[in-house]
Amino acid sequence: MTTAIPREALRRIVTCLVTAETNRTRADTRRGGAEDPAAWADDRLWSVGSVPLDSLETVNAGAALYEMFGLEALQHDATRGPPTTVGAWLDDIARFQRGEDASLTVMTSGSTGRPKPCVHAIRDLQAEARHFGAMLPDVRRVIALVPAHHIYGLIWTALLPATLDVPVVAATAMTLPPLEQGDLIVAVPDHWRALARARRSWSAGVAGVSAGAPLDDALAGTLLDAGLDRLLDVYGSSETGGIAVRALPDAAYTLLPRWRFAETTGPDAAVIRDRHGNETVLPDILDVAVDGRFAVIGRRDGAVQVGGVNVWPEQVAHVLRQCPGIADAAVRLGDQHRLKAFVVPVHSEDQNALLDRLIPYVRRFLLPEQRPTSYALGPVLPRTALGKPCDWT
């Protein structure tokens, strides 16, 4: 049975969405700051940081809320117009979040085109949060390093805390609060890599969860050896929500209760089925054991993940090839989990001049997670003795 999303969980989702939508169009996103959604009181007028939303930003924020919460049928009082305060928006949204068929829409990252809307039944997301809550009964506080308007943050930093009735603290990898027993840190692999470098020890009883990309077992081992009590790795997507979970390091993934592998699952295409019989073809190649546990081998479509965002290296290489002075290019995921590029200049191109032109070109045409952070140049792309593309140093 679906219950309405609790008000404080809804506040977190709404404020994260409005902040992201506003900062997306502001030239200087630092004006928005890193603000805890809990600070958005009911009587607050729309503002991000200390800067009020202008008329166009207000329209964009409202459109994003309509899109996420399906508010097409919302009828406003003609005498007061659309809601202007946080509390008024929460009141209106809450009216549409009741009933067995209530749903909401999250967006994919849009790293290679327009973001895609993904509709989820609220009852399914709440059931997922309850399942994770049963796995983590000792959690007393959630430390949120991810925003709540994407599927991972929505479940783990809004619905899960509501299920467990515990507070949430917004933080970054470099500004964690003093940690206490019962804290659960919700982060993505890039955060965990930073934390592994920045922290030599952990307070007793602190656990963590990661999603957005598989977390490396060696990195997990480093974190656990330093005293992190427990670390979970969630496999899922914006389209499906959570699919499976594993305890790090070394354990295989186990499907969440709402999923089963379909009979058509094979080595080239893994297919899962929900309780309604709807099937989803997973984007990854899986190694599935007879007991249903599995390991992720790699993406079928060649995507890699940078900062929890899917990026297609070949599409980035295609953009680089359009830059004047470049004859060819190859792109791979580097050791620091950012993209690296190998560029072949045209014969007459000065290499220093080419790089001076390439950097602003990349900033203009590629999103931050798509931009290579290191470049190598040479007369031909690296290949093995058999002529196949290979890595470079």
Side-chain angles (χ1 to χ4, degrees):
M1 179 178 178
T2 299
T3 58
I5 297 175
R7 192 175 184 84
E8 292 313 304
L10 190 61
R11 185 189 311 276
R12 182 164 295 277
I13 298 167
V14 166
T15 56
C16 286
L17 177 63
V18 171
T19 298
E21 182 67 22
T22 303
N23 284 342
R24 184 179 63 82
T25 58
R26 286 185 174 178
D28 184 3
T29 59
R30 292 172 298 178
R31 294 188 300 167
E35 189 175 11
D36 191 332
W40 290 45
D42 278 2
D43 61 356
R44 172 172 170 158
L45 298 174
W46 277 143
S47 62
V48 172
S50 60
V51 182
L53 271 62
D54 63 26
S55 58
L56 182 57
E57 290 172 338
T58 300
V59 169
N60 289 337
L65 292 169
Y66 268 65
E67 180 177 52
M68 184 171 201
F69 295 103
L71 304 180
E72 294 89 347
L74 182 62
Q75 298 295 317
H76 294 301
D77 183 346
T79 62
R80 75 173 177 91
T84 58
T85 65
V86 173
W89 272 107
L90 296 181
D91 291 340
D92 282 349
I93 292 170
R95 292 162 47 197
F96 285 78
Q97 298 306 302
R98 301 179 185 274
E100 185 66 18
D101 60 348
S103 64
L104 55 76
T105 300
V106 296
M107 307 299 292
T108 59
S109 64
S111 60
T112 59
R114 294 186 62 185
K116 182 175 73 172
C118 307
V119 181
H120 293 273
I122 291 176
R123 64 178 180 272
D124 289 339
L125 302 180
Q126 290 174 325
E128 184 174 330
R130 288 194 298 270
H131 175 75
F132 288 129
M135 294 179 63
L136 298 161
D138 297 327
V139 170
R140 299 177 183 174
R141 185 173 65 163
V142 170
I143 311 299
L145 275 61
V146 297
H149 63 292
H150 291 304
I151 190 69
Y152 172 43
L154 190 152
I155 292 167
W156 283 88
T157 73
L159 299 184
L160 176 70
T163 296
L164 296 175
D165 192 23
V166 298
V168 183
V169 176
T172 70
M174 296 296 102
T175 61
L176 290 180
L179 297 176
E180 307 167 356
Q181 183 170 350
D183 281 346
L184 174 70
I185 300 173
V186 181
V188 298
D190 282 344
H191 297 144
W192 288 115
R193 279 187 284 272
L195 289 169
R197 297 181 63 186
R199 300 183 71 93
R200 296 177 180 174
S201 63
W202 295 87
S203 302
V206 175
V209 62
S210 182
L215 188 64
D216 181 75
D217 283 325
L219 172 59
T222 298
L223 291 160
L224 294 167
D225 288 345
L228 194 65
D229 187 63
R230 188 179 185 189
L231 187 54
L232 299 179
D233 184 16
V234 178
Y235 175 71
S237 68
S238 298
E239 292 85 350
T240 62
I243 294 172
V245 64
R246 68 184 185 123
L248 288 158
D250 301 327
Y253 288 104
T254 300
L255 288 176
L256 300 182
R258 65 179 288 212
W259 299 108
R260 295 289 184 273
F261 280 116
E263 293 78 4
T264 51
T265 289
D268 297 325
V271 183
I272 55 174
R273 180 181 295 137
D274 67 13
R275 61 188 176 89
H276 303 293
N278 300 315
E279 293 188 350
T280 301
V281 180
L282 300 181
D284 299 291
I285 300 170
L286 305 185
D287 180 9
V288 183
V290 292
D291 63 0
R293 294 184 298 171
F294 66 92
V296 179
I297 306 303
R299 295 275 302 202
R300 290 188 291 110
D301 59 4
V304 299
Q305 291 186 317
V306 178
V309 176
N310 290 333
V311 176
W312 282 257
E314 179 51 37
Q315 293 186 5
V316 174
H318 175 75
V319 173
L320 297 183
R321 294 183 194 113
Q322 311 310 306
C323 180
I326 292 181
D328 205 352
V331 176
R332 285 177 175 257
L333 187 64
D335 293 338
Q336 302 302 314
H337 293 269
R338 297 296 301 270
L339 296 185
K340 64 179 183 179
F342 192 101
V343 173
V344 178
V346 297
H347 296 303
S348 61
E349 184 71 22
D350 176 80
Q351 294 189 0
N352 290 331
L354 176 60
L355 289 176
D356 288 343
R357 185 187 309 115
L358 179 59
I359 301 304
Y361 173 89
V362 163
R363 289 187 175 276
R364 179 182 178 187
F365 289 104
L366 294 173
L367 298 171
E369 58 270 10
Q370 297 174 300
R371 299 168 189 165
T373 55
S374 68
Y375 294 89
L377 287 80
V380 294
L381 295 180
R383 295 187 178 275
T384 67
L386 298 178
K388 294 184 178 181
C390 66
D391 202 354
W392 60 90
T393 57

